[in-house]
Coordinates of all heavy atoms in Angstrom, one line a residue:
M1 N 0.9 -1.2 0.0 CA 0.0 0.0 0.0 C 0.9 1.2 0.0 O 1.9 1.2 0.6 CB -0.9 0.0 1.3 CG -2.1 -1.0 1.2 SD -2.9 -1.2 2.7 CE -3.7 0.4 2.9
L8 N -8.2 -0.2 2.5 CA -7.9 -1.0 1.4 C -8.3 -0.3 0.1 O -7.6 -0.4 -0.9 CB -8.5 -2.4 1.5 CG -8.2 -3.4 0.4 CD1 -6.8 -3.6 0.4 CD2 -8.9 -4.7 0.7
Q14 N -10.0 -3.1 -7.1 CA -10.4 -4.2 -6.3 C -11.4 -5.0 -7.2 O -12.4 -4.3 -7.7 CB -11.1 -3.8 -5.0 CG -10.3 -3.1 -4.1 CD -11.1 -2.6 -2.8 OE1 -11.8 -3.4 -2.2 NE2 -10.9 -1.4 -2.5
L121 N 5.9 -15.0 8.6 CA 4.5 -14.9 9.0 C 3.9 -13.7 8.2 O 4.4 -12.6 8.2 CB 4.4 -14.6 10.5 CG 2.9 -14.3 11.0 CD1 2.1 -15.5 10.9 CD2 3.0 -13.9 12.5
E122 N 2.8 -14.0 7.5 CA 2.1 -13.0 6.8 C 0.6 -13.2 7.1 O 0.2 -14.2 7.7 CB 2.2 -13.2 5.2 CG 3.6 -12.9 4.7 CD 4.0 -11.5 4.8 OE1 3.0 -10.6 4.7 OE2 5.2 -11.2 4.9
H123 N -0.2 -12.1 6.8 CA -1.6 -12.2 7.1 C -2.4 -11.9 5.9 O -2.1 -11.1 5.1 CB -2.0 -11.1 8.3 CG -1.4 -11.5 9.6 ND1 -0.2 -11.1 9.9 CD2 -2.0 -12.3 10.6 CE1 0.1 -11.6 11.1 NE2 -1.0 -12.2 11.6
L124 N -3.4 -12.7 5.7 CA -4.4 -12.4 4.7 C -5.2 -11.2 4.9 O -5.1 -10.6 6.0 CB -5.3 -13.7 4.4 CG -4.6 -15.0 4.1 CD1 -5.6 -16.1 4.0 CD2 -3.8 -15.0 3.0
D125 N -5.9 -10.8 3.9 CA -6.8 -9.6 4.0 C -7.7 -9.6 5.3 O -8.0 -8.6 5.8 CB -7.5 -9.3 2.7 CG -6.6 -8.8 1.7 OD1 -5.5 -8.4 1.9 OD2 -7.1 -8.8 0.4
D126 N -8.2 -10.8 5.6 CA -9.1 -11.0 6.7 C -8.3 -11.3 8.0 O -9.0 -11.7 9.0 CB -10.1 -12.1 6.4 CG -9.4 -13.5 6.4 OD1 -8.2 -13.6 6.5 OD2 -10.2 -14.5 6.2
S127 N -7.1 -11.0 8.0 CA -6.1 -11.2 9.2 C -5.8 -12.6 9.5 O -5.2 -12.9 10.6 CB -6.7 -10.5 10.4 OG -6.8 -9.1 10.2
T128 N -6.2 -13.6 8.8 CA -5.8 -15.0 9.0 C -4.3 -15.1 8.8 O -3.8 -14.7 7.8 CB -6.5 -15.9 7.9 OG1 -7.9 -15.8 8.0 CG2 -6.1 -17.4 8.1
P129 N -3.7 -15.6 9.8 CA -2.2 -15.7 9.7 C -1.8 -17.0 8.7 O -2.5 -18.0 8.8 CB -1.7 -16.1 11.1 CG -2.9 -16.6 11.8 CD -4.1 -16.1 11.1
V130 N -0.7 -16.7 8.0 CA -0.2 -17.8 7.2 C 1.3 -17.8 7.6 O 2.1 -16.9 7.4 CB -0.3 -17.5 5.7 CG1 0.4 -18.5 4.9 CG2 -1.7 -17.4 5.3
K131 N 1.7 -19.0 8.2 CA 3.1 -19.1 8.8 C 3.8 -20.2 8.1 O 3.2 -21.3 7.8 CB 3.0 -19.4 10.3 CG 4.3 -19.4 11.0 CD 4.1 -19.5 12.5 CE 5.5 -19.5 13.2 NZ 5.4 -19.6 14.6

Side-chain angles (χ1 to χ4, degrees):
M1 286 172 66
L8 185 59
Q14 298 175 47
L121 174 65
E122 292 292 331
H123 291 86
L124 302 178
D125 289 344
D126 68 356
S127 298
T128 302
V130 177
K131 186 174 183 178

